[in-house]
Amino acid sequence: MAVNILCVVVLYKMQLNRSASFLSLYRQVGDCDATVDFFIYDNSPLADVGLSEFPDIHYFHCPGNTGLGAAYNAAARYAEEKGFDWVLLLDQDTVLPDNFLQSYVKAIQENPGSQVFAPRVSLSGKSLLSPMKRWRKQATHLVAEKTYPIRQYLVINSGLCVKTSLFMQSGGYDEKVWLDFADMQFIRKLLHVGVRCFYLLSCECMQHFSNLETDPEKLKQRFDIYIACARNCEYYDMADWIFRQYCVLSHTIGLTIRTRSVYFLKCFFTRYLF
């Protein structure tokens, strides 16, 4: 089965030639049995002027920084227009293994019934990030090359590969939730249009995570975005609502204890609850 994939990389204040995810993926194109193209959505204030070394990409500059959702939606529309069957979503700084792209091609060819694929993702300290159980801590990675119920697991944006037709059917990302919770909202949308499982690939990626930040002022700025996105979330059922409240409250308490600052609790009550 012929495979064609549109790879989407979202940039923010980073030149394309410094993006770990793009560079590692770009080098792999010639080693996989698929038609691959790149859609670069740049949310940086200034456009990247060093694109001449990558003449075969589609580049879109959005200085207003409309967030991840708008970027992924724009890419999906482009994929539909150009006839790409698959959209592979990435951020700028996920470190990808050498066999990353070929593992998707192989999995798509061998699992024609699957429409959603995801890699295993760890943080730089080797702790697990995705997929993760929704309600209880998970100590070890799931067994790869199997399908898992999408209702029970959290899967992050970076590395998510979705059938283009399914992406469009779901309505895509909620652009009001421009960063935090964007992946959760999208996965719930997939669930509510009938998707029951995702296929877990054997490849493993490494992800930078903003929660590793230690500067209290930067943590406060980041939390402002977190709360704004959380407030804009829609709830598709009661279980979704309960889980969202649990996530926001536990994150708020964790940052309060970690920084010994009441700033986060104040934001929780004044900007989220009321």
Side-chain angles (χ1 to χ4, degrees):
M1 177 180 66
V3 177
N4 55 45
I5 304 175
L6 181 68
C7 300
V8 187
V9 180
V10 182
L11 300 177
Y12 182 67
K13 293 185 177 180
M14 177 181 285
Q15 290 185 318
L16 187 60
N17 63 7
R18 294 187 177 276
S19 167
S21 56
F22 171 74
L23 292 176
S24 55
L25 198 60
Y26 193 75
R27 288 192 293 264
Q28 296 178 30
V29 171
D31 297 326
C32 72
D33 184 23
T35 300
V36 180
D37 203 351
F38 289 87
F39 184 98
I40 310 302
Y41 195 101
D42 192 352
N43 276 318
S44 306
L46 300 176
D48 193 336
V49 296
L51 298 175
S52 58
E53 56 188 304
F54 310 112
D56 51 344
I57 66 166
H58 179 76
Y59 176 84
F60 182 83
H61 181 225
C62 180
N65 188 10
T66 50
L68 288 177
Y72 292 148
N73 288 345
R77 291 192 295 270
Y78 180 83
E80 183 180 49
E81 176 188 340
K82 299 298 182 181
F84 285 93
D85 295 325
W86 298 91
V87 180
L88 174 55
L89 310 179
L90 293 163
D91 60 20
Q92 63 190 18
D93 54 7
T94 304
V95 180
L96 312 177
D98 291 339
N99 65 334
F100 181 80
L101 192 52
Q102 182 56 32
S103 67
Y104 282 83
V105 175
K106 181 174 180 289
I108 290 170
Q109 290 173 332
E110 295 179 354
N111 299 273
S114 294
Q115 299 186 82
V116 181
F117 295 84
R120 299 184 295 186
V121 184
S122 297
L123 298 177
S124 55
K126 291 296 185 181
S127 57
L128 305 183
L129 179 59
S130 176
M132 289 286 285
K133 276 279 191 180
R134 286 175 65 86
W135 284 104
R136 62 182 175 85
K137 188 173 180 59
Q138 188 174 307
T140 59
H141 272 307
L142 299 173
V143 176
E145 300 184 351
K146 293 178 59 177
T147 58
Y148 291 91
I150 207 166
R151 182 183 290 276
Q152 297 178 17
Y153 291 90
L154 302 176
V155 182
I156 68 170
N157 292 313
S158 196
L160 191 64
C161 186
V162 183
K163 190 89 169 178
T164 303
S165 56
L166 173 64
F167 192 113
M168 302 307 290
Q169 179 190 354
S170 74
Y173 278 74
D174 184 344
E175 297 184 13
K176 300 190 302 296
V177 185
W178 67 91
L179 187 57
D180 296 290
F181 300 105
D183 40 19
M184 290 188 190
Q185 290 271 278
F186 182 60
I187 292 298
R188 299 303 279 183
K189 279 190 171 186
L190 296 182
L191 178 65
H192 282 266
V193 295
V195 177
R196 293 292 174 260
C197 297
F198 68 93
Y199 183 91
L200 181 62
L201 296 111
S202 58
C203 60
E204 183 171 341
C205 307
M206 298 295 290
Q207 176 74 19
H208 172 74
F209 192 35
S210 62
N211 199 40
L212 299 175
E213 180 62 65
T214 57
D215 184 337
E217 292 307 312
K218 290 183 178 179
L219 285 171
K220 290 176 183 178
Q221 294 171 13
R222 186 66 185 80
F223 188 72
D224 290 343
I225 297 173
Y226 177 89
I227 283 294
C229 289
R231 189 175 179 87
N232 288 337
C233 285
E234 295 183 11
Y235 304 106
Y236 296 95
D237 51 45
M238 182 57 69
D240 192 31
W241 182 86
I242 293 172
F243 182 71
R244 194 63 44 78
Q245 310 320 309
Y246 163 78
C247 288
V248 176
L249 182 59
S250 60
H251 187 50
T252 301
I253 293 172
L255 286 172
T256 300
I257 294 171
R258 187 166 134 197
T259 62
R260 299 180 181 179
S261 170
V262 297
Y263 177 86
F264 304 98
L265 282 173
K266 285 181 178 178
C267 286
F268 176 78
F269 285 105
T270 61
R271 299 185 194 175
Y272 182 67
L273 287 187
F274 306 106

